Amino acid sequence: MFQTFDSMIDPSVGSARCAALRQELARRKLDGFLVPRGDAHQGEYVPPSDARLEWLTGFAGSAGIAVVLAEDAAIFVDGRYTIQVREQVDAQVFAPMHLIETPPADWLATTLKPGQKLGYDPMLHTISGTRRLKAACTAAGAELVAVSGNPVDAVWHDRPAPPLGAVVIHPDALAGEAASEKIARMGAKVGEAKADAFVLTQPDSIAWLFNIRGSDVAHTPLPLSFAILPASGKPRLFIDGRKLSNAVRDHLVGLAEVEEPVGLVPALADMGRAGAAVMLDPDWAGDALASAVCDAGGTIKEGADPIARAKAVKTEAEIAGARAAHLRDGAAYARFLAWFDRAILDGPLDEIAVAERLEAFRAETGALKEISFDSISAAGPNAAICHYRVDRKSNRVIPPDSLFLIDSGAQYEDGTTDITRTLAVGAVANEMKRHFTLVLKGHIAIATARFPKGTSGAQIDALARIDLWKAGLDFDHGTGHGVGSYLSVHEGPQRIAKTGHVALEPGMIVSNEPGYYKAGSHGIRIENLELVTGPDEIEGGERPMLGFQALTLAPIDRRLIVKEMLSAGEHAWVERYHARVLAEIGPLVDPDTRSWLEAATAPL
């Protein structure tokens, strides 16, 4: 099994750990310290050795930051985690704050006192983030102080060792482009930006560039590492050599200079002394990296990671792999749904049992490498916590006459999947069916959208919400995120959200997952992965338009659809989608599942 359900969350530890940190800060003559959720790579996925925020506060969400002062402490999370943070964190120690409504910089500007010194680890804060923090400290008459040696680590006495996941070569046949070709193409992009080199800090960019995969973090095949990509010549890869077999090392030496991570900062200082113009992404690179260059006399050019956009547009091989992965996953998922409908009638099921059974169906494909994230297996009111993670303490028996939400995904060598379905258990209340249908209407609006080149996710996000808005409802997460190719299930820079300002391009993969959550009652989400297609001419139109094609193939629970709430076009979409599911998944499953699938995809 790839998912564990043991609870590591204990809000009661926050008081003692916060007190220990305060003692360490006093010893260092600091008045406070910032504890972000991210690691030196600034990404969503961190190994246990870098889970400082979770260790200190108990909060296990994927985004957040704590501020510890001598008298005050606060933890900042976004709308996804407003319920979760109060369950996992001692609010008497860390005051829960909304990350968007009260940004940490605003809180600091009004809470810090003149003359105070606020410490931060410059490897754990981005260049742009550090700018905002410095401005807040200045506004309060305080000082932001870079520390050498993280004070949390000084009091975290049982801190796990850093990961040493083995690196493997990702086949060119699946990548669709050789690493040497990518290096040359991306190096040329660095030269076009008038930089001598670009510093890669995101492990998924490095994995894509060198066609390698790893296992340093849960559920995502990342080799934690850094790299320097020059405008021309060999790049430098900074990675713990213990992760490399002789064969993998020999392969990588043909592409790059392979060095230990400890050599990164000195290498940047050398480049600074040589007067190099070094390009860094200010939203992803640690502030310490910019300081290493500038303090040595070099120049920083700020710019977006050029690999992020290239990685987001999938090659023909990656698109073919995604289709194959979704067919395989769709067959496993159909088996799961058929099992669920039978098993729920035979006796009580709980959240963990369902998650384990779904994982088993995927494992039986023989191709499963990992799940792509901890399954959100949520019964009744637990589903109202949109990023709920079941453990043995929270595990709930699925009650009769309720909704059950299951958000899950798989990592196959040829593709990454992510699917959410909300299922009826027994006689579901009319209000739940109404909410489900409103969410479905938003899902269909995205699935059927046509839009011109240059359209961003922010411009179409409202399509998923308009029917909910008309009913006075909404959801506090983005409508969709990018997805990698046997990489991160959450991949930028593209997304469908109010903040999704990157233009969607053919070959990108995004999720389509509107939802609705009624605290204490139920949660609903319907998610497919969509491939951006086109541009295609429209009869009678003047401009070719992009669109979406669903990669995910699984029935949407027709028992929850209020047919009268659908327009004729929406009704037709459901019928077309279900016909496609039956046509493509039906031949891949056993007769019993096929019989269930025929009923699940029958006309409304």
Side-chain angles (χ1 to χ4, degrees), residues 228-242:
I228 297 175
L229 175 64
S232 61
K234 255 189 174 184
R236 300 170 73 174
L237 175 62
F238 298 87
I239 189 167
D240 193 316
R242 292 172 291 178

Side-chain angles (χ1 to χ4, degrees), residues 385-469:
I385 306 170
C386 62
H387 278 243
Y388 169 75
R389 181 187 181 277
V390 59
D391 59 42
R392 301 198 188 280
K393 289 182 179 178
S394 69
N395 188 27
R396 178 186 290 267
V397 171
I398 302 172
D401 305 332
S402 69
L403 295 180
F404 177 73
L405 185 152
I406 179 79
D407 184 351
S408 66
Q411 293 281 13
Y412 304 105
E413 193 176 23
D414 51 1
T416 300
T417 72
D418 183 3
I419 174 176
T420 309
R421 289 295 184 265
T422 305
L423 308 176
V425 179
V428 175
N430 288 336
E431 179 191 50
M432 296 179 182
K433 293 180 180 180
R434 173 175 165 267
H435 290 158
F436 181 92
T437 308
L438 289 172
V439 172
L440 176 60
K441 287 166 76 70
H443 180 96
I444 295 170
I446 295 294
T448 57
R450 305 304 300 271
F451 47 94
K453 180 180 178 181
T455 301
S456 69
Q459 291 173 289
I460 63 174
D461 177 77
L463 297 178
R465 303 175 189 270
I466 193 68
D467 283 290
L468 286 164
W469 287 347

